[in-house]
Amino acid sequence: MLLKPGEENHEYWFMFNGIDKILHLSIFAFLGFSYKAAFPKSSFSIFIYIMFIYAFLTEILQEEMKLGRTMEFLDIIADVFGVLIGYYIFKNLKKYI
């Protein structure tokens, strides 16, 4: 999904400038949550390294594949914030379950 060429169709009410950042944040929040659910004993530093490398590689692939996507620093920031959100959601849910 992150490598698919982006289309912004302003005919729909939910399409606006910057929606790709929200999508990056959401996808990586789910990814961060899923990683911690699958590997709950992994350390925070390993978790961050793996997720940051994955975010950075997807941005490099967006640029190199020439499918209409470009590498953006703000996408990496959105990815990292998404991962942290997913991590903290998992940690907080784990307390209640």
Side-chain angles (χ1 to χ4, degrees):
M1 184 174 194
L2 294 171
L3 300 176
K4 182 180 177 195
E7 294 179 16
E8 290 192 13
N9 189 339
H10 294 285
E11 292 178 15
Y12 299 107
W13 63 270
F14 56 85
M15 297 300 283
F16 54 88
N17 288 335
I19 193 167
D20 64 321
K21 306 303 181 259
I22 293 173
L23 292 174
H24 274 267
L25 187 121
S26 302
I27 290 167
F28 275 84
F30 180 74
L31 182 65
F33 181 88
S34 298
Y35 178 88
K36 282 308 287 181
F39 304 104
K41 295 184 181 187
S42 68
S43 70
F44 182 74
S45 60
I46 296 295
F47 167 76
I48 286 296
Y49 289 138
I50 290 172
M51 294 293 110
F52 183 75
I53 289 169
Y54 186 75
F56 193 68
L57 287 176
T58 57
E59 290 302 313
I60 290 172
L61 285 173
Q62 284 180 358
E63 184 72 29
E64 294 300 317
M65 291 179 70
K66 308 288 187 223
L67 294 175
R69 302 286 308 248
T70 59
M71 182 176 182
E72 292 183 36
F73 181 71
L74 289 177
D75 285 347
I76 295 172
I77 299 297
D79 296 345
V80 171
F81 277 121
V83 163
L84 292 174
I85 289 169
Y87 176 85
Y88 287 112
I89 288 172
F90 177 79
K91 286 295 190 182
N92 288 328
L93 283 178
K94 189 176 175 185
K95 292 177 187 176
Y96 297 110
I97 295 177

